[in-house]
Amino acid sequence: MARFIQADRNQPFLLPPDLREWVPVDDLAHFVVEAAERVDLSTFKINHRGSGSEQYPPRMMLALLVYCYANGIFSSRKIERATHFDVRVRFISANTHPDHDTIAAFRRENEAAFTAAFLKVLELAKELKLLKVGMISVDGTKINANANIHKSIRYDRAVELRKQLRLEISELMAKAKSADAASHPEDQKLPAEIARRRDLHAKLDAACVRLETAARARAEAERSDYEKRKQDHDDRGGAGRPPTAPSEVPAPQEQTNMTDPESRIMRKNKRSEYRQAYNAQAAVDADGSQLILANAVTQCASDANELVPMVNMVETNVGKPECVLADTGYANGKAVAELEQRKIDPLVATRGSGNRRTHDFRPVPAEKPTPKEKSEWVEKMQKKMSGVIAKAKYAKRKCTVEPVFGIVKQAMGFRQFLLRGIDKVRIEFNLVALAYNCRRLHTLAL
């Protein structure tokens, strides 16, 4: 006769008097709780007046967010649900159940606490002798914004649609005045149609204002350079083409997104599709720990101007690095020269992605493009990168920083921001980096 393990759903049983009995000693939950306890309470946003309802302990809320992000739970509603159904999350929340509004508000309002926790984890890694500040790898990745690319609109199209909507609203208003609501039931929909068009018109107005404000700010920033070039042109007696004055009117092709205006249309490379996204940056320890030493989010699709700011953030967080590894996207002569002047050795690839492999799957192009003349710093960098030592160092880049983004996107499942706006997006990515570092440091410490 077959024998089965008894599985009686009607069998009553007692929960353990201590939730820790259901959470293994070496689980990430214990590590996150201990790390959160190191964060100073002064970094949290707390109601010190004592008025209103009681607050949830901020360190508990921090541990709750970090653990959930580390395990791919990002939505505040899903985090709230996990406090009921996930034993480990229930242990972290001490059998309390913050609602999703409380969780979302805590995430929005505690940027300083997340930054302090990020630094505390790096300090803990130093204490455990797991972190070295010698060689770092820098890279960026495009992460989808909480917005649809089809909600982006060009300036010229926005102007046309505003005119069209004004005419439609006028026609509907005239029709509403002349119609008898009692005798024409179908005309009862007119107020809703008018309201919908007015709402869209208001959104287009706001989009145009954003683009026009940005154009004026850009023109003001370029004014001094234009005056200088204009003076040089006059000093030469008007020889050559005169400089073009900066325009305060947006170009027809300039775009803005109606859902998240601060996001931008980007793509990973020339062979990838365009997306509404942000450019997330990370500087990673390349000496073995693979911990994120600094993180940032930018609105620019290019990485060319991000090398020095990332190195500066690493120096502020953990100390001055000795060597920096970066791919061809960071190829910038001024940035390389500045790092060399600061006694930091930059190893930056200068060959574009258009170089063909020995057994390339793509068809052979009909004609090879004429190679461009190389800059002096490019020739110098290529000569340095051809050395055996430089090659061995640069080989660490692809196996240090790129796996970090792979873990964040695949293992943790973070592929899209939930918040909108560059400031809130930076808070969220800082939380993602903190959660990754906790996962990584817990693994290294085992």
Side-chain angles (χ1 to χ4, degrees):
M1 180 182 291
R3 301 172 61 196
F4 300 100
I5 295 175
Q6 183 178 1
D8 185 3
R9 296 184 181 88
N10 298 319
Q11 174 67 42
F13 61 94
L14 297 175
L15 289 172
D18 189 340
L19 278 175
R20 288 175 293 184
E21 295 181 20
W22 278 14
V23 181
V25 178
D26 60 348
D27 192 82
L28 176 63
H30 294 288
F31 180 86
V32 169
V33 169
E34 292 177 7
E37 290 299 319
R38 289 171 166 251
V39 182
D40 195 336
L41 279 175
S42 62
T43 60
F44 294 94
K45 185 176 180 180
I46 300 174
N47 181 6
H48 294 282
R49 298 190 306 272
S51 58
S53 303
E54 291 182 330
Q55 305 171 77
Y56 287 97
R59 287 173 176 149
M60 181 274 286
M61 294 292 292
L62 173 63
L64 175 64
L65 272 174
V66 171
Y67 182 82
C68 287
Y69 265 70
N71 287 276
I73 307 174
F74 310 113
S75 165
S76 58
R77 293 181 184 273
K78 291 183 178 180
I79 294 174
E80 178 187 357
R81 194 177 302 120
T83 62
H84 291 277
F85 301 114
D86 191 306
V87 174
R88 292 171 175 83
V89 177
R90 195 162 191 154
F91 158 69
I92 291 175
S93 64
N95 206 29
T96 61
H97 311 285
D99 62 89
H100 60 274
D101 285 336
T102 302
I103 295 170
F106 183 87
R107 179 171 53 190
R108 289 194 308 268
E109 298 170 354
N110 286 277
E111 179 181 8
F114 300 150
T115 302
F118 183 83
L119 296 177
K120 285 294 182 183
V121 171
L122 295 180
E123 289 177 8
L124 180 59
K126 279 188 172 183
E127 292 176 11
L128 297 174
K129 308 296 183 183
L130 296 173
L131 174 62
K132 299 178 182 178
V133 190
M135 188 185 304
I136 65 171
S137 300
V138 180
D139 202 2
T141 187
K142 308 301 186 295
I143 298 181
N144 293 342
N146 188 2
N148 194 322
I149 190 173
H150 300 296
K151 291 293 183 179
S152 293
I153 187 168
R154 288 167 50 117
Y155 179 71
D156 55 354
R157 182 58 180 159
V159 173
E160 292 175 4
L161 282 178
R162 283 199 302 175
K163 295 178 181 179
Q164 178 182 337
L165 285 169
R166 281 195 290 267
L167 291 174
E168 291 180 4
I169 292 171
S170 298
E171 291 175 359
L172 289 173
M173 289 292 291
K175 188 175 181 180
K177 288 180 180 179
S178 61
D180 184 0
S183 59
H184 300 284
E186 66 274 8
D187 290 336
Q188 293 178 1
K189 298 179 180 179
L190 288 175
E193 291 295 320
I194 294 172
R196 185 175 66 83
R197 284 166 172 79
R198 281 179 173 170
D199 182 58
L200 180 56
H201 189 274
K203 291 180 180 179
L204 291 172
D205 281 342
C208 290
V209 168
R210 285 195 299 269
L211 291 173
E212 290 163 0
T213 302
R216 286 193 295 268
R218 183 171 59 248
E220 188 64 28
E222 297 173 356
R223 186 79 59 192
S224 59
D225 182 60
Y226 164 72
E227 295 293 344
K228 182 179 179 181
R229 289 186 288 110
K230 184 176 182 299
Q231 185 62 43
D232 292 342
H233 180 265
D234 294 340
D235 292 342
R236 294 195 305 269
R241 180 179 298 177
T244 304
S247 175
E248 296 186 358
V249 179
Q253 68 274 15
E254 289 191 46
Q255 298 187 31
T256 184
N257 190 273
M258 307 281 279
T259 306
D260 185 357
E262 298 184 21
S263 62
R264 298 292 183 266
I265 296 177
M266 305 179 182
R267 60 177 177 173
K268 181 181 178 181
N269 51 49
K270 294 180 179 179
R271 297 182 295 277
S272 299
E273 76 286 357
Y274 284 100
R275 297 178 291 166
Q276 200 73 32
Y278 287 97
N279 186 359
Q281 299 283 314
V284 176
D285 176 25
D287 283 328
S289 72
Q290 282 187 288
L291 291 170
I292 298 178
L293 307 181
N295 67 87
V297 178
T298 72
Q299 297 168 290
C300 182
S302 172
D303 297 330
N305 297 319
E306 304 303 326
L307 187 59
V308 172
M310 291 305 298
V311 173
N312 292 342
M313 291 180 66
V314 171
E315 189 170 357
T316 301
N317 292 347
V318 292
K320 181 179 177 180
E322 299 173 359
C323 180
V324 180
L325 312 177
D327 62 16
T328 186
Y330 294 87
N332 185 323
K334 292 182 179 180
V336 169
E338 181 177 339
L339 293 179
E340 290 176 341
Q341 188 177 6
R342 292 162 55 181
K343 307 301 181 184
I344 300 174
D345 183 24
L347 294 177
V348 182
T350 56
R351 301 182 186 276
S353 59
N355 293 328
R356 298 183 62 81
R357 298 168 293 185
T358 305
H359 303 97
D360 204 311
F361 298 152
R362 296 169 294 176
V364 179
E367 296 181 2
K368 292 185 178 181
T370 305
K372 297 180 180 179
E373 185 178 350
K374 298 178 182 178
S375 303
E376 182 180 350
W377 80 268
V378 172
E379 294 182 351
K380 181 181 177 182
M381 180 62 67
Q382 288 182 351
K383 183 177 180 181
K384 181 169 73 171
M385 294 281 284
S386 63
V388 177
I389 297 177
K391 283 183 178 180
K393 288 182 178 180
Y394 189 77
K396 293 184 178 181
R397 190 200 69 82
K398 63 182 179 181
C399 59
T400 51
V401 66
E402 292 186 3
V404 170
F405 289 129
I407 292 171
V408 167
K409 290 186 175 182
Q410 189 65 28
M412 294 171 57
F414 188 80
R415 296 176 178 272
Q416 180 177 4
F417 290 107
L418 296 180
L419 305 182
R420 294 171 181 168
I422 185 66
D423 293 333
K424 293 180 181 178
V425 159
R426 284 170 178 160
I427 294 174
E428 190 171 12
F429 189 66
N430 195 23
L431 183 56
V432 170
L434 171 59
Y436 165 82
N437 276 355
C438 286
R439 281 178 57 119
R440 180 60 182 166
L441 189 55
H442 174 255
T443 301
L444 294 173
L446 288 178

